[in-house]
Amino acid sequence: MGKKFSFTATVRDERTGETGTAQGQAEGDDMYTPERARTDIQGWASTVPGRNLTATDIQLS
């Protein structure tokens, strides 16, 4: 059984300056930590097609 974190993050498109909010879940193994979840969320933001997103103000619950 792994760990899950719900998150809310501010995302910004560095190319256009647009900002918004992303919400979702990050999950991993039993050793999954909040720090790893934040890193995964930042990594996810950078892979969104057609965007140059960064994730900040990541809140986990």
Side-chain angles (χ1 to χ4, degrees):
M1 193 113 194
K3 290 185 181 177
K4 290 184 184 179
F5 295 100
S6 294
F7 73 87
T8 302
T10 300
V11 290
R12 181 176 195 278
D13 188 323
E14 297 298 328
R15 189 171 36 94
T16 65
E18 274 183 279
T19 59
T21 302
Q23 296 179 339
Q25 282 191 342
E27 55 186 284
D29 60 21
D30 288 337
M31 303 299 288
Y32 204 50
T33 63
E35 292 78 21
R36 270 185 56 200
R38 285 186 179 89
T39 299
D40 288 349
I41 294 162
Q42 290 167 338
W44 160 81
S46 69
T47 64
V48 175
R51 299 288 191 153
N52 184 15
L53 298 181
T54 56
T56 58
D57 272 343
I58 300 169
Q59 303 298 315
L60 301 173
S61 59

